Amino acid sequence: MAEPFKSVCISTRLRRATRKANAIYDHAMEKHGITIAQLSLLRTIRRLERPTLNQLAQATELDASTLGRNMRVLEKAGLTRFEPGQDKRTRVLSLTEKGDAITDRANHDWDRVQSDLKSRLGPGGFDTLFQLLDALDPDNEGRST
Amino acid sequence: MAEPFKSVCISTRLRRATRKANAIYDHAMEKHGITIAQLSLLRTIRRLERPTLNQLAQATELDASTLGRNMRVLEKAGLTRFEPGQDKRTRVLSLTEKGDAITDRANHDWDRVQSDLKSRLGPGGFDTLFQLLDALDPDNEGRST
DNA sequence: CCATATTGTCGGTATATACCGATAAATGGT
DNA sequence: ACCATTTATCGGTATATACCGACAATATGG
């Protein structure tokens, strides 16, 4: 037996839930050779249309150095490319054809998992969850919704 | 401006919220030289009273190999020790005096942050959040609360 | 225009986390 | 007692993530 202990610490419970949710999405992504974190990046790059590392960092609220490293993995896998921008400092990100194709295919599996989890949350659960997660962030002080 | 993009992906939003909550707790832990993840481990070890790695893994739902590595960090910091158990395979974990003292002191700061975040969630928010996080986990099928 | 600040990226270092395979020790069935 | 299985841990490897300091390039105030 020895059931898992239900910690009362918000961080601990969030980390646990995140690990588990990640694992579920990751397993669905396996056949595409990517992780859910990587799919998220691919989609954001596509949406932003040739963003710089910093722009991607602002959109995702990830550290730029983290993204630099994450992007190297995607680059090595041939899913993204890094081209010089106007500014001689900046490098501009975009998806390769392969990256584009994989993103499309992975999106189908993402849909499945997302729907499953959404129904687990019950009616209104999805919106409530996101509202509560946002409430934890002091940066989201003023404007809700 | 370039506001952060509110992804609709449950995993992405969970990861983001977890990063931010971790950062808040971690900053409060800084003065004690530990992270919130480490405080969580110290408390669990204390509660379980000389658990093995595997017992700790079951309680935390973390991979045993992950815990092995996490524990080495705490051991090197002199907060925990690893002693031989009855079974010649197993090693039993416990807090050193220093680890015990730091856990006590860190708990005070944990309290502060936990209360702050709890009040951010509003009335009933805390319970609702945990209930929703649990609902995401297929392992929690049968028994709720 | 130049000195200073700011911006964009990268490398070093560190924690948190997982999966897989090795290895050693215990357990169980015959 | 013996062999097969299961258990406990560890090491290799990989991703995700952050902070800090270096460095180059751009922007800005006087």
Side-chain angles (χ1 to χ4, degrees), chain A residues 49-65:
Chain A
E49 297 183 67
R50 307 177 63 71
T52 66
L53 258 190
N54 272 348
Q55 287 166 344
L56 189 57
Q58 283 173 333
T60 58
E61 300 187 84
L62 283 163
D63 191 89
S65 77

Side-chain angles (χ1 to χ4, degrees), chain A residues 4-6 8-9 11-13 16 18-20 22 40 47 59-61 110 114 120 134 137 141, chain B residues 4-5 8-9 11-13 16 18-20 22 40 47 59-61 110 114 120 134 137 140-141:
Chain A
F5 174 65
K6 297 288 181 166
V8 80
C9 173
S11 167
T12 301
R13 290 291 278 279
R16 185 183 299 186
T18 301
R19 289 195 306 267
K20 295 195 169 204
N22 272 340
S40 184
R47 198 174 45 76
T60 58
E61 300 187 84
W110 175 84
Q114 177 85 357
R120 285 191 169 284
D134 282 347
D137 185 355
E141 204 64 318
Chain B
F5 174 64
V8 79
C9 172
S11 167
T12 301
R13 290 293 278 280
R16 185 182 299 188
T18 300
R19 290 196 305 269
K20 295 195 170 203
N22 272 340
S40 185
R47 197 175 46 77
T60 58
E61 300 188 82
W110 175 84
Q114 177 85 357
R120 285 190 171 285
D134 283 347
D137 185 357
N140 290 346
E141 204 64 319

Side-chain angles (χ1 to χ4, degrees), chain B residues 80-111:
Chain B
T80 59
R81 76 174 78 82
F82 233 146
E83 292 167 320
Q86 305 171 324
D87 208 315
K88 219 150 293 175
R89 291 170 295 183
T90 65
R91 325 241 85 214
V92 174
L93 293 162
S94 57
L95 303 194
T96 62
E97 279 176 50
K98 184 179 172 190
D100 215 59
I102 287 189
T103 301
D104 285 336
R105 280 185 260 126
N107 272 339
H108 293 302
D109 289 293
W110 175 84
D111 264 338

Side-chain angles (χ1 to χ4, degrees), chain B residues 34-79:
Chain B
I34 61 176
T35 65
I36 182 60
Q38 291 172 338
L39 177 61
S40 185
L41 286 186
L42 291 171
R43 298 209 283 206
T44 308
I45 292 167
R46 182 192 265 182
R47 197 175 46 77
L48 294 181
E49 297 182 68
R50 307 177 63 72
T52 66
L53 258 191
N54 271 349
Q55 288 166 343
L56 189 57
Q58 283 172 333
T60 58
E61 300 188 82
L62 284 163
D63 190 271
S65 77
T66 296
L67 276 175
R69 289 176 161 88
N70 289 354
M71 290 313 303
R72 267 179 242 157
V73 175
L74 289 174
E75 211 180 359
K76 184 173 305 182
L79 306 185

Side-chain angles (χ1 to χ4, degrees), chain A residues 113-123 125-126, chain B residues 8 10 136:
Chain A
V113 175
Q114 177 85 357
S115 299
D116 279 4
L117 290 186
K118 223 164 168 171
S119 70
R120 285 191 169 284
L121 292 174
F126 179 79
Chain B
V8 79
I10 293 170
L136 287 172

Side-chain angles (χ1 to χ4, degrees), chain A residues 88-122:
Chain A
K88 219 151 293 174
R89 291 170 294 183
T90 65
R91 326 241 85 215
V92 174
L93 293 162
S94 58
L95 303 194
T96 62
E97 279 175 52
K98 184 179 172 192
D100 215 58
I102 287 190
T103 301
D104 285 336
R105 279 186 261 127
N107 272 339
H108 293 300
D109 289 293
W110 175 84
D111 264 339
R112 235 191 339 91
V113 175
Q114 177 85 357
S115 299
D116 279 4
L117 290 186
K118 223 164 168 171
S119 70
R120 285 191 169 284
L121 292 174

